[in-house]
Amino acid sequence: MENGAAQPVIVAIDGPSGTGKSSTSKAVAAQLGLSYLDTGAQYRAITWWMVTNGIDIDDPTAIAAVAGKPDIVSGTDPANPTITVDGTDVAAPIRTQEITSKVSAVSAVPEVRARITELQRSVAAGAEKGIVVEGRDIGTTVLPDADLKIFLTASAEARAARRSGELKGVDVHTTREALIRRDAADCSRKTSPLAKADDAVEVDTTELTLAQVIECVVTLVEEKRAAK
């Protein structure tokens, strides 16, 4: 590659819900000309497929048995990220409260994680200019060799306020309780728990605006790319 061309860079952005992960990841990818992958959407998509096909969400064995069936395709344009299951656009239905309430249970099944992790790695490997991959176990499990790992955090109060702003008509207290429950489920699951990689840069977004978080991450990526 010519010295003038930017080296492809793989960026892993992890952290719990409500830290600004998606907004930050999309903006950073768009600004730096990188692909973008929302791994949470893939877990939501497989959960949607399970629910749509009447699989018992409380039965890990039943979930494991069909984990390989749905064909999940993620579009990686940060300006217009898409997701389809068996050719059906599921971008809207995967964001419903029903799917949100069931995604932790489905995601905890090792066969589901193995399947989705494989999918995520193949998307990252195919990104010619590099990619920003956001999720909960990217830096630790999915892409442990990522060029840059960032772990976003924020106080439970700040995260709840952001989430209830996104979810119309939901009060902050209820959202905070749900976030804390989901964090506990994601941190304690046996397979690929939500955890900060040892070599990740932690960015606390509690007191920062979205623009400041984006600027911080863009700077980190540019420094990493310059050093390659």
Side-chain angles (χ1 to χ4, degrees):
M1 196 178 271
E2 307 296 335
N3 287 342
Q7 292 282 355
V9 63
I10 292 181
V11 183
I13 300 186
D14 290 306
S17 307
T19 50
K21 230 172 20 195
S22 294
S23 308
T24 300
S25 300
K26 274 187 272 202
V28 168
Q31 211 166 313
L32 295 173
L34 303 173
S35 296
Y36 159 76
L37 178 62
D38 173 1
T39 64
Q42 294 176 314
Y43 282 108
R44 287 173 173 273
I46 200 166
T47 303
W48 174 86
W49 185 91
M50 297 280 173
V51 170
T52 305
N53 285 279
I55 308 301
D56 183 355
I57 300 300
D58 298 320
D59 182 353
T61 311
I63 292 172
V66 292
K69 284 194 169 180
D71 179 32
I72 299 167
V73 178
S74 297
T76 58
D77 175 0
N80 180 34
T82 57
I83 185 151
T84 62
V85 179
D86 298 334
T88 301
D89 175 1
V90 295
I94 63 171
R95 301 290 168 188
T96 62
Q97 192 55 47
E98 183 191 17
I99 301 306
T100 300
S101 67
K102 292 175 176 169
V103 70
S104 283
V106 174
S107 304
V109 177
E111 288 80 359
V112 169
R113 297 206 77 78
R115 164 83 202 290
I116 301 291
T117 297
E118 190 184 333
L119 199 56
Q120 291 161 1
R121 286 176 178 155
S122 67
V123 170
E128 289 174 18
K129 294 179 179 173
I131 191 166
V132 176
V133 183
E134 61 130 318
R136 288 165 175 248
D137 66 338
I138 311 307
T140 51
T141 303
V142 180
L143 300 168
D145 297 326
D147 298 302
L148 176 65
K149 300 175 189 179
I150 292 167
F151 195 85
L152 297 183
T153 62
S155 71
E157 284 69 23
R159 292 163 46 212
R162 289 169 191 167
R163 284 320 284 260
S164 53
E166 290 168 19
L167 307 163
K168 300 290 175 274
V170 179
D171 74 271
V172 174
H173 178 73
T174 310
T175 308
R176 182 175 180 273
E177 296 302 309
L179 283 175
I180 290 170
R181 274 199 307 275
R182 189 161 167 211
D183 288 349
D186 288 346
C187 292
S188 61
R189 65 168 175 249
K190 292 187 181 65
T191 311
S192 307
L194 165 66
K196 177 179 167 234
D198 293 339
D199 53 350
V201 179
E202 186 165 327
V203 179
D204 187 335
T205 70
T206 306
E207 304 292 335
L208 301 177
T209 64
L210 179 60
Q212 288 172 320
V213 179
I214 293 164
E215 186 184 357
C216 171
V217 174
V218 164
T219 303
L220 288 166
V221 177
E222 285 179 332
E223 284 172 358
K224 183 58 73 172
R225 204 147 63 168
K228 280 191 81 169

